[in-house]
Amino acid sequence: GPVYTGPVPRYQVYVPPSPFGESAGEPSVGYNPATKRAMYISGLQTLRATFAENLSPALPESCEANWEDVSYVLTGIASLDPILFTDPVSGRTHVSQLRSQAAGPVLVGNNSYYAYSDDDGESWTPGQIDAPNGSLDHQTVGGGAYPAALAPILGNVNNDGRAVYYCSQAYVTGLCARSDTGGLTYNRPTPAYDLATSGCSSIHGHVKVGPDGTVYLPHNNCESEAAVSVSTDAGTTWDVRFV
């Protein structure tokens, strides 16, 4: 086969300067290929990193990145779980912060503060989760293309032909809601798994969408085995497949 002649692969560690990134609780990262910026969240801070070679004027790749706090006021209030997802095709970044609610001596989640940005955090649009979901913990956001059969029906200029999924758990049931408006509103959720029918306990992994529109929600404990909930109809129905 052909011999690789590109740049030598390497890792570079980029550390945000104080006071950015002081809390690294449950971090997640996204990347916008169009702007070549990274989006990063931990705790209540949403940060944007512009790498040295993409600055103006450009600097050597080995130089430090430029970090900026682009937190939206709605998603910088309070949280039990921060989640960030950047769609690599549309470049839209979604941020979710699990809302805290007192339940006796402990705090439990109750839906999310939620917003999305099309300009890497320069401006934000508040989205809506509360009404259709109602789950309490471990939310995850992902997105991608619609399945081919549904793309002509559900795809439109408002969502750029891209579905967004918000999944979270209600104790031993995983619920996933789909947005056909790019994250502005969500449909009612459907169960992706539950203890009674699939033997799955609480806490799933992060929702991912394949190139063909298949949606995957992994789980490490369904009848004490690894499994993945799979939907081939844009989250309408789910099938738990054991690994």
Side-chain angles (χ1 to χ4, degrees):
V3 177
Y4 177 74
T5 58
V8 176
R10 62 150 173 90
Y11 287 93
Q12 180 83 9
V13 177
Y14 297 94
V15 180
S18 180
F20 300 150
E22 293 297 311
S23 170
E26 300 199 9
S28 50
V29 64
Y31 181 73
N32 186 345
T35 62
K36 298 181 180 180
R37 286 168 163 169
M39 302 294 292
Y40 175 89
I41 195 171
S42 66
L44 298 176
Q45 284 190 328
T46 303
L47 305 179
R48 177 177 67 201
T50 304
F51 300 106
E53 65 270 25
N54 299 317
L55 295 173
S56 182
L59 297 174
E61 291 184 2
S62 58
C63 292
E64 294 291 339
N66 181 50
W67 291 84
E68 300 168 275
D69 188 341
V70 293
S71 303
Y72 180 49
V73 60
L74 183 67
T75 58
I77 299 173
S79 181
L80 291 178
D81 286 324
I83 290 295
L84 179 147
F85 163 72
T86 301
D87 189 310
V89 174
S90 70
R92 176 169 290 184
T93 291
H94 303 256
V95 167
S96 166
Q97 296 280 13
L98 198 67
R99 288 201 293 135
S100 303
Q101 177 180 337
V106 299
L107 291 176
V108 296
N110 182 29
N111 304 310
S112 292
Y113 296 109
Y114 185 91
Y116 61 84
S117 174
D118 290 320
D119 51 17
D120 299 337
E122 286 293 333
S123 62
W124 294 91
T125 300
Q128 171 255 340
I129 284 293
D130 283 4
N133 195 274
S135 298
L136 57 84
D137 196 12
H138 206 73
Q139 87 283 26
T140 175
V141 180
Y146 287 100
L150 296 175
I153 302 170
L154 300 176
N156 55 59
V157 295
N158 295 320
N159 58 33
D160 294 324
R162 310 287 286 177
V164 186
Y165 297 90
Y166 177 99
C167 301
S168 57
Q169 68 180 62
Y171 301 103
V172 291
T173 298
L175 298 170
C176 291
R178 187 189 74 235
S179 174
D180 299 318
T181 56
L184 184 64
T185 58
Y186 278 79
N187 304 323
R188 294 190 65 83
T190 56
Y193 65 84
D194 60 47
L195 181 63
T197 60
S198 54
C200 298
S201 63
S202 59
I203 303 187
H204 49 249
H206 292 293
V207 62
K208 300 294 180 182
V209 181
D212 63 351
T214 302
V215 189
Y216 303 90
L217 185 68
H219 203 297
N220 75 336
N221 187 7
C222 294
E223 297 181 358
S224 301
E225 296 183 29
V228 59
S229 295
V230 180
S231 177
T232 58
D233 54 10
T236 304
T237 61
W238 296 82
D239 176 36
V240 176
R241 303 178 184 176
F242 289 86
V243 177

